[in-house]
Amino acid sequence: MSTENAAVEPTASAAAAPQAEGQRDFIRQIIREDLATGKHHAIRTRFPPEPNGYLHIGHAKAICLNFGIAKEFTGWCNLRLDDTNPGKEDPEFVEGIKDDVRWLGYEWHDLRHASDYFEVFYDSAIKLIKDGVAYVDDLSPEDMRAYRGTLTEPGRNSPFRERSVEENLDLFQRMRAGEFADGAKTLRAKIDMTSGNMNMRDPAIYRIRKVAHQNTGDAWPIYPMYDYAHCLSDALEGITHSLCTLEFEDHRPLYDWFVDKVDLVNHPELWQHLREGGFRTEPAKPRQIEFSRLNLTYSITSKRKLAQLVNENLVDGWDDPRMNTLRGLRRRGFTPGGLRLLIERLGVSKQNSIIDYSILENCIREDLDATAARRMAVLDPLKLVITNLPEGHEEQLTFSNHPKDESFGTRHVPFSRELWIEREDFAEVPPKGFHRLKPEGEVRLRGVGIVKCDELVKDAGGNLIELHCSLDLESRQGMPGADRKVKGTIHWVSARHGVATEVRVYDRLFNVADPDDETDGKTWIEHINPEAKRVVTAWLEPAAAKVDPEQRFQFERLGYFVADRVDHTSDKPVFNRTVTLRDAWAKQAG
């Protein structure tokens, strides 16, 4: 059993809950009605991931919904690991899930595992057998599928369906004892093989799997099926509203069937030992409610495909900033506030839809615009020499850390005769409407003054390597010409003081809106964007480099960047581009 399951009774009350007047959607309306009618006096939810992979952005919606509703209605939310599939689960994923939930800003009431309830599930299965609604089947998995029928044809009863209660009890207990080989026998619910709902055609309850479990070791050679364990876990925890995505809508009749047939509320002998073992449990009948998933363009949320990307080294691990795992998004520099903002704006409905990735990016930009200090960096450097300043010229300029928020304060930025500017801020043959630096042209250096390009320096191959410019000293701050107007302003970094930095320029992992669409003859892997990661050596002002991992900045005119949480050190800075300042993909589409 978990060592983090000591329960504390919620302080929620029906009187306090109606004051939760935040978001309005069909789930919250159901909850308000349940509280108003006295059906429930406290709201209890849970977030129940399977620990067979890291969480992705789709899980963020479920996390925010379950924990958010519990908070709004003064209730509580459990984190439960639905660990019924040994061999695919790993303690690494468990710790990752806990870390991701906390990163999003939530704390659970109890940490539970489905495996905490394995004895209850087993005893409940014995009860179903004794009640004549469960039987041990000898059909192979292949034959079971054949007997199941199709969407247009009813299934057929297994030849083992009418075994006696005594025989079923004997066989199931021998399954528990490890007497049979994997797949040799299955415990199934006896419901209706002609049901129009395929989930009700005598679904499996237990299968034999002689695999060590990450939480219970070799104690069990049989494991409960997800549909069976999930609903009984909800009931054991007293969950009032079991919120899940729309693909589980067809599973709801089975969810209710298991809850009703086992009837934990009226059979305390099935779970009394939990209390004796330290679990405070008050079983109740939960209500399953389905909502639409969070689906994004230019993304995949299949755990199998995410694992394939990792296993085939198509990305640099589960936390690769190109991945839409929460670990990847965090390393990319996405903020919990930005993700919560997205989910709040999308709301909750029963209508499946695909959200454009730009909406997510805009939420991240909005959050970072308010919370990220400004710094200067040059990603594609071109040397600019101010020839009318002396060789050793050096001074400290004062810059605001945030143009919209004085509370961020100011910083000193070193300025010298030789600077780095962005190569794209100069054009020898400027296109129409180009308002940056050009031969004999003028531009304002941010915070310095106006410079004029006097000379181009090229190497033997004709490649531009340096610009020689003159600074209009009268255009400097506090001078009479400081207000002289020029059309362009560019940023810079002092070449003498700048810090060489590895910058990873990230973009969307896929270059088509629907990577799974293979009508163009390409597989989803062939839709991977080859430009999704580009590594450059950039120059940063010193105040941007000597920071802690996960410090976020807006690099002026370039985008939002974050100090990499794994590789960054103050001695060897590494930054990741989180998102551009504007939607570059919309410009491409236009």
Side-chain angles (χ1 to χ4, degrees):
M1 289 186 178
S2 166
T3 59
E4 299 184 44
N5 59 22
V8 178
E9 280 299 283
T11 57
S13 67
Q19 298 177 16
E21 293 294 338
Q23 299 183 60
R24 292 280 180 177
D25 54 62
F26 77 98
I27 292 178
R28 288 173 170 86
Q29 187 57 38
I30 289 171
I31 291 173
R32 289 187 175 94
E33 291 172 359
D34 287 347
L35 289 168
T37 61
K39 180 178 179 180
H40 297 298
H41 298 286
I43 299 306
R44 302 175 181 181
T45 61
R46 83 289 172 267
F47 172 58
E50 298 174 69
N52 58 0
Y54 286 103
L55 302 182
H56 55 65
I57 191 168
H59 292 109
K61 181 175 181 179
I63 293 170
C64 292
L65 183 61
N66 279 287
F67 283 93
I69 280 179
K71 182 178 180 180
E72 286 174 41
F73 292 95
T74 329
W76 53 250
C77 180
N78 283 348
L79 172 60
R80 183 176 72 241
L81 289 308
D82 275 348
D83 52 351
T84 61
N85 195 11
K88 293 188 177 180
E89 299 162 350
D90 194 295
E92 175 187 343
F93 297 140
V94 172
E95 294 307 310
I97 288 168
K98 291 158 63 176
D99 190 44
D100 287 342
V101 170
R102 285 179 167 138
W103 175 69
L104 274 177
Y106 299 104
E107 189 62 50
W108 48 87
H109 179 257
D110 282 353
L111 175 67
R112 298 288 178 95
H113 307 77
S115 55
D116 294 333
Y117 312 132
F118 276 0
E119 289 288 352
V120 178
F121 300 155
Y122 178 75
D123 291 342
S124 298
I126 294 288
K127 176 184 182 297
L128 294 178
I129 292 172
K130 289 180 177 179
D131 291 343
V133 292
Y135 63 97
V136 175
D137 195 357
D138 291 0
L139 288 178
S140 68
E142 296 75 20
D143 287 339
M144 201 177 295
R145 282 191 291 271
Y147 271 72
R148 196 177 183 214
T150 66
L151 291 173
T152 57
E153 296 178 357
R156 293 175 289 149
N157 288 346
S158 166
F160 305 98
R161 195 175 195 264
E162 300 307 321
R163 278 175 162 153
S164 67
V165 169
E166 293 73 22
E167 185 179 4
N168 284 318
L169 282 173
D170 174 66
L171 290 171
F172 186 54
Q173 289 164 348
R174 288 160 65 190
M175 287 170 61
R176 167 69 179 91
E179 184 174 328
F180 306 112
D182 282 17
K185 297 184 185 298
T186 307
L187 182 69
R188 299 177 68 180
K190 187 186 290 187
I191 307 180
D192 181 5
M193 291 300 294
T194 66
S195 173
N197 185 334
M198 299 284 284
N199 297 296
M200 302 298 282
R201 295 184 185 178
D202 290 12
I205 301 176
Y206 268 91
R207 79 283 203 199
I208 301 173
R209 286 206 70 196
K210 295 179 180 177
V211 177
H213 187 281
Q214 55 95 12
N215 208 30
T216 61
D218 294 317
W220 293 88
I222 58 173
Y223 292 97
M225 302 299 290
Y226 176 88
D227 278 338
Y228 174 71
H230 176 78
C231 61
L232 294 187
S233 297
D234 284 349
L236 282 165
E237 294 172 20
I239 302 304
T240 56
H241 300 82
S242 175
L243 310 179
C244 58
T245 46
L246 280 176
E247 64 264 31
F248 290 99
E249 188 169 26
D250 288 341
H251 294 246
R252 193 196 323 150
L254 181 58
Y255 182 104
D256 292 336
W257 189 92
F258 280 133
V259 169
D260 291 340
K261 293 297 183 182
V262 172
D263 192 15
L264 290 167
V265 174
N266 294 309
H267 291 274
E269 71 278 6
L270 297 173
W271 47 266
Q272 194 65 43
H273 69 275
L274 288 178
R275 284 188 177 177
E276 296 168 359
F279 281 81
R280 184 172 300 175
T281 179
E282 294 185 11
K285 182 176 180 178
R287 175 180 178 180
Q288 177 175 304
I289 305 172
E290 306 86 17
F291 61 91
S292 61
R293 295 170 60 110
L294 173 56
N295 296 307
L296 289 171
T297 58
Y298 299 93
S299 299
I300 57 170
T301 52
S302 160
K303 278 188 180 179
R304 178 183 61 81
K305 290 182 177 179
L306 291 171
Q308 186 176 343
L309 289 171
V310 174
N311 295 335
E312 295 184 8
N313 297 315
L314 297 169
V315 293
D316 300 325
W318 286 98
D319 66 345
D320 187 308
R322 292 167 290 181
M323 294 275 274
N324 65 10
T325 57
L326 295 186
R327 298 179 80 77
L329 295 176
R330 176 177 180 176
R331 193 171 177 187
R332 173 86 167 258
F334 280 36
T335 61
L339 292 175
R340 292 194 301 266
L341 179 61
L342 170 74
I343 290 158
E344 178 183 341
R345 287 182 174 170
L346 295 181
V348 182
S349 74
K350 276 192 173 281
Q351 184 65 44
N352 269 325
S353 59
I354 300 178
I355 309 304
D356 193 276
Y357 198 85
S358 63
I359 296 175
L360 166 62
E361 291 178 320
N362 284 334
C363 289
I364 301 301
R365 287 189 189 99
E366 186 171 335
D367 189 56
L368 286 171
D369 180 55
T371 59
R374 275 44 171 176
R375 295 289 185 266
M376 290 196 293
V378 173
L379 269 58
D380 186 10
L382 174 63
K383 180 71 70 70
L384 184 151
V385 180
I386 301 176
T387 55
N388 61 332
L389 291 179
E391 286 280 350
H393 181 85
E394 181 177 322
E395 60 183 290
Q396 296 287 330
L397 305 179
T398 300
F399 278 69
S400 168
N401 285 327
H402 199 298
K404 305 174 186 176
D405 191 338
E406 292 183 358
S407 70
F408 277 71
T410 60
R411 71 189 188 280
H412 293 300
V413 179
F415 169 69
S416 61
R417 182 175 185 264
E418 296 186 0
L419 308 174
W420 296 115
I421 67 169
E422 290 290 345
R423 189 168 292 273
E424 68 174 17
D425 282 337
F426 173 81
E428 187 171 358
V429 182
K432 184 179 180 181
F434 187 80
H435 297 306
R436 286 162 284 171
L437 202 55
K438 55 190 175 183
E440 301 300 319
E442 291 185 318
V443 74
R444 184 178 297 278
L445 289 179
R446 167 101 160 85
V448 176
I450 297 170
V451 293
K452 179 180 179 181
C453 180
D454 302 315
E455 182 184 356
L456 279 58
V457 180
K458 299 184 178 182
D459 63 16
N463 300 304
L464 179 66
I465 57 172
E466 198 168 282
L467 301 177
H468 287 183
C469 300
S470 53
L471 172 63
D472 178 0
L473 300 177
E474 290 294 310
S475 69
R476 302 210 63 186
Q477 188 172 1
M479 299 299 289
D483 293 331
R484 184 162 73 87
K485 303 296 183 183
V486 290
K487 288 188 175 181
T489 299
I490 63 174
H491 66 280
W492 51 271
V493 170
S494 167
R496 180 182 301 174
H497 305 92
V499 179
T501 301
E502 178 180 325
V503 173
R504 300 162 182 172
V505 182
Y506 288 107
D507 207 338
R508 301 177 188 182
L509 181 56
F510 296 98
N511 53 21
V512 295
D514 183 2
D516 288 318
D517 182 1
E518 299 182 357
T519 56
D520 60 358
K522 295 182 179 180
T523 66
W524 68 275
I525 287 179
E526 292 175 296
H527 290 141
I528 291 176
N529 177 14
E531 301 298 319
K533 178 183 179 182
R534 184 166 52 89
V535 180
V536 301
T537 298
W539 293 95
L540 273 60
E541 62 166 283
K546 303 292 184 180
V547 297
D548 293 330
E550 295 198 88
Q551 179 70 51
R552 302 179 183 90
F553 294 110
Q554 182 194 106
F555 289 169
E556 296 189 18
R557 301 177 65 230
L558 299 176
Y560 294 98
F561 294 74
V562 65
D564 187 84
R565 69 185 299 237
V566 177
D567 297 329
H568 173 86
T569 65
S570 59
D571 295 329
K572 191 177 179 182
V574 178
F575 275 81
N576 302 326
R577 186 175 74 180
T578 303
V579 67
T580 54
L581 289 180
R582 285 169 291 278
D583 184 0
W585 286 73
K587 184 177 180 180
Q588 291 174 22

